[in-house]
Amino acid sequence: MHLRPILTIALFTLREAIQNRLISLVLAALISLFGLAEFIGEVAITESAETKLSILSSALRFFAVLVTSLFVTMSMLREQHEKSLDLVLSLPISRASYFFGRLLGFSGVTIVVAALIGLCLLLYSPSQRVGPWVLSLACELFIVANVSIVCLFTFRQATLALSSVFGFYVLARTIGSIQLIGHGPLADPSAPSQRLISGVIDTLALLLPDLDRYTSSQWLIYGAPQGSDLVSIIGQTTIYLTLLIGVGLFDLYRKNF
Amino acid sequence: MHEVPVPVLLSLCCGLTLQILWQTGQPPSQAIARALPSPPQIDVLKVASLGEPEALGRVLMLWLQAFDNQPGISIPFRDLDYGLVVGWLDAILSLAPRSQYPMLAASRLYAEVPAPAKQRQMLEFVYQRFLDDPNRRWPWLAHAVVLAKHRLADLPLALRYAQAIASHATGNDVPTWAKQMHIFVLEDMGEIETAKVLLGALLDSGTVTDPNEIEFLTSRLNQLQARGHDPLPRTE
């Protein structure tokens, strides 16, 4: 595996993002959501800055996830339809080089998206709080981009792939709360159906990253997270990316083009 | 434009005309007051927040605050079911425990209605939630003291709240006037001896450092000692 083809593929991916007007879309969304946040701030009778910041940052986080998953899925799908993937793989480039090139390119795109959002949030919150938030958002987007690649390799259809990505994301964001309900006082642990459901939930929780701990709007309002929280997020991201890269490469190598 | 067949243009115009006619024929929307729904369980709200409880709490607070202004209709706060309002405020505080918004809404909006029973219900909510985080929520209980004293004319209730501030809000950021409220409520209740003892103890404790405040409290203590058991004029 050589570095040069990886960098070339990554560069083409970044160029594709610019040609698809992804940056323009992010800027347009930023302006629209900032307008909405200002309106919401006017409605609040107290803590208007905190209310604006909380709602704006959550909306931007969901937007970033949505736009990343859409861009990655549509880009990979177009490549399949135009047979450019077949063309690339017919060259003396290993499948792993192609995979890492695409992954590097998509990661670059997510960093740009996260940085643009972070720059705009600096209007409302100091850099000491925005910095960790942006870092965490970038980690979250790396995972989403990688899951989108894996889902498209597996299903080879936009509808199925995007539904799976959003399902994964919602589950990863809520699995902690679902687990609490499953083991709460209202659940009867002696009932077989309850034990089965709890077992399924616990198994899912083992397989999913706890995105619930990522990119909290509370960091922007009340103060940056502890260093250990950030280390935990970076650790979880590294481990999950390793898993996803393994799954993606496994799927790519077993496919016949 | 020239390349578009005439039937296509006709169908486009026909569709547009029919749509406008259809909408014109629809009965106008009627303003119907909706009752405040029961708040969902906090676990359900946490799942629905997708890991952003703070943001959901703030959105819900804005929704609850605007509930009296439904499209085309305005419902006075006193007509709301206060049991449900308290439930929602409680849920919002659970989602965003560091936000002061629900406490402000409870003490400054919902507790200001001209309905004593509902005022008491809301003040009790403020008192209960104050106990969860006294050093940050004391301003809302201090306002509750004022409401209990002047609006409800219930001095024992005002004393209970003022004593709660004195005994629970012990942080350095809590101003001494808030910690002293119970002394003046006692004074208003005619409990001059108790007020004298508490005021003297406060001055002796050395917690009051501002010279103007010390002078004010000392003159107040002197007035109390001079008047004996005669209640002083109320300080409103």
Side-chain angles (χ1 to χ4, degrees), chain A residues 74-139:
Chain A
M74 299 320 286
S75 168
M76 299 289 291
L77 193 69
R78 188 170 48 249
E79 202 175 43
Q80 279 185 16
H81 286 172
E82 291 175 356
K83 302 286 180 194
S84 47
L85 175 60
D86 300 36
L87 181 69
V88 171
L89 294 181
S90 67
L91 299 170
I93 296 173
S94 70
R95 293 187 180 200
S97 296
Y98 162 78
F99 184 88
F100 283 114
R102 290 295 266 171
L103 191 61
L104 191 63
F106 289 134
S107 302
V109 172
T110 61
I111 288 171
V112 172
V113 170
L116 280 175
I117 290 173
L119 278 177
C120 294
L121 283 177
L122 283 174
L123 291 172
Y124 291 126
S125 193
S127 56
Q128 298 90 333
R129 296 180 184 181
V130 174
W133 191 89
V134 169
L135 177 68
S136 173
L137 178 65
C139 288

Side-chain angles (χ1 to χ4, degrees), chain A residues 45 47 54 58 173 212 217 222, chain B residues 50 52 54-55 99-101:
Chain A
I45 54 174
E47 296 185 342
S54 173
S58 310
R173 291 284 297 265
D212 191 18
S217 59
Y222 304 118
Chain B
L50 296 181
E52 280 286 4
E54 182 79 27
S99 172
Q100 301 276 18
Y101 208 142

Side-chain angles (χ1 to χ4, degrees), chain B residues 190-233:
Chain B
E191 300 280 345
I192 304 296
E193 284 307 313
T194 317
K196 272 162 49 181
V197 170
L198 287 172
L199 203 49
L202 182 68
L203 284 166
D204 289 342
S205 68
T207 50
V208 184
T209 52
D210 185 84
N212 291 339
E213 199 174 343
I214 292 171
E215 191 181 327
F216 168 74
L217 291 174
T218 309
S219 72
R220 199 77 184 173
L221 181 61
N222 291 338
Q223 280 178 329
L224 283 175
Q225 281 167 343
R227 287 197 169 213
H229 289 275
D230 294 334
L232 287 171

Side-chain angles (χ1 to χ4, degrees), chain B residues 73-122:
Chain B
I73 207 161
S74 183
I75 306 166
F77 279 141
R78 67 173 178 274
D79 289 348
L80 295 172
D81 182 333
Y82 264 42
L84 295 175
V85 175
V86 164
W88 277 107
L89 289 172
D90 219 10
I92 293 164
L93 265 184
S94 301
L95 289 170
R98 294 167 78 176
S99 172
Q100 301 276 18
Y101 208 142
M103 297 298 282
L104 175 136
S107 65
R108 294 272 179 178
L109 290 179
Y110 299 113
E112 299 271 3
V113 295
K118 293 190 169 181
Q119 278 183 308
R120 285 174 190 279
Q121 197 175 355
M122 203 48 72

Side-chain angles (χ1 to χ4, degrees), chain B:
Chain B
M1 185 79 173
H2 297 103
E3 288 164 7
V4 180
V6 175
V8 173
L9 280 175
L10 279 177
S11 73
L12 179 66
C13 295
C14 189
L16 184 64
T17 313
L18 280 174
Q19 165 64 20
I20 293 167
L21 286 175
W22 175 266
Q23 285 296 357
T24 315
Q26 293 298 309
S29 304
Q30 288 190 328
I32 302 167
R34 287 181 299 116
L36 190 64
S38 304
Q41 285 187 350
I42 188 65
D43 290 338
V44 175
L45 283 174
K46 280 185 178 166
V47 172
S49 74
L50 296 181
E52 280 286 4
E54 182 79 27
L56 180 66
R58 287 175 185 278
V59 169
L60 285 177
M61 191 59 242
L62 292 178
W63 166 78
L64 184 64
Q65 176 198 311
F67 200 83
D68 59 316
N69 275 310
Q70 295 178 21
I73 207 161
S74 183
I75 306 166
F77 279 141
R78 67 173 178 274
D79 289 348
L80 295 172
D81 182 333
Y82 264 42
L84 295 175
V85 175
V86 164
W88 277 107
L89 289 172
D90 219 10
I92 293 164
L93 265 184
S94 301
L95 289 170
R98 294 167 78 176
S99 172
Q100 301 276 18
Y101 208 142
M103 297 298 282
L104 175 136
S107 65
R108 294 272 179 178
L109 290 179
Y110 299 113
E112 299 271 3
V113 295
K118 293 190 169 181
Q119 278 183 308
R120 285 174 190 279
Q121 197 175 355
M122 203 48 72
L123 293 185
E124 192 58 25
F125 166 77
V126 172
Y127 172 67
Q128 293 297 335
R129 295 287 72 84
F130 156 83
L131 295 174
D132 295 337
D133 192 358
N135 288 328
R136 274 197 297 154
R137 294 180 181 167
W138 65 266
W140 317 116
L141 195 62
H143 185 66
V145 174
V146 175
L147 286 180
K149 186 177 159 188
H150 297 293
R151 295 279 178 83
L152 295 173
D154 188 342
L155 288 174
L157 186 68
L159 180 64
R160 180 172 159 237
Y161 294 159
Q163 282 175 332
I165 295 175
S167 47
H168 295 285
T170 51
N172 292 331
D173 293 337
V174 183
T176 42
W177 65 260
K179 295 173 183 169
Q180 296 158 11
M181 285 181 100
H182 63 297
I183 297 173
F184 299 109
V185 177
L186 277 169
E187 191 185 321
D188 285 340
M189 292 172 77
E191 300 280 345
I192 304 296
E193 284 307 313
T194 317
K196 272 162 49 181
V197 170
L198 287 172
L199 203 49
L202 182 68
L203 284 166
D204 289 342
S205 68
T207 50
V208 184
T209 52
D210 185 84
N212 291 339
E213 199 174 343
I214 292 171
E215 191 181 327
F216 168 74
L217 291 174
T218 309
S219 72
R220 199 77 184 173
L221 181 61
N222 291 338
Q223 280 178 329
L224 283 175
Q225 281 167 343
R227 287 197 169 213
H229 289 275
D230 294 334
L232 287 171
R234 287 187 176 185
T235 51
E236 300 194 7

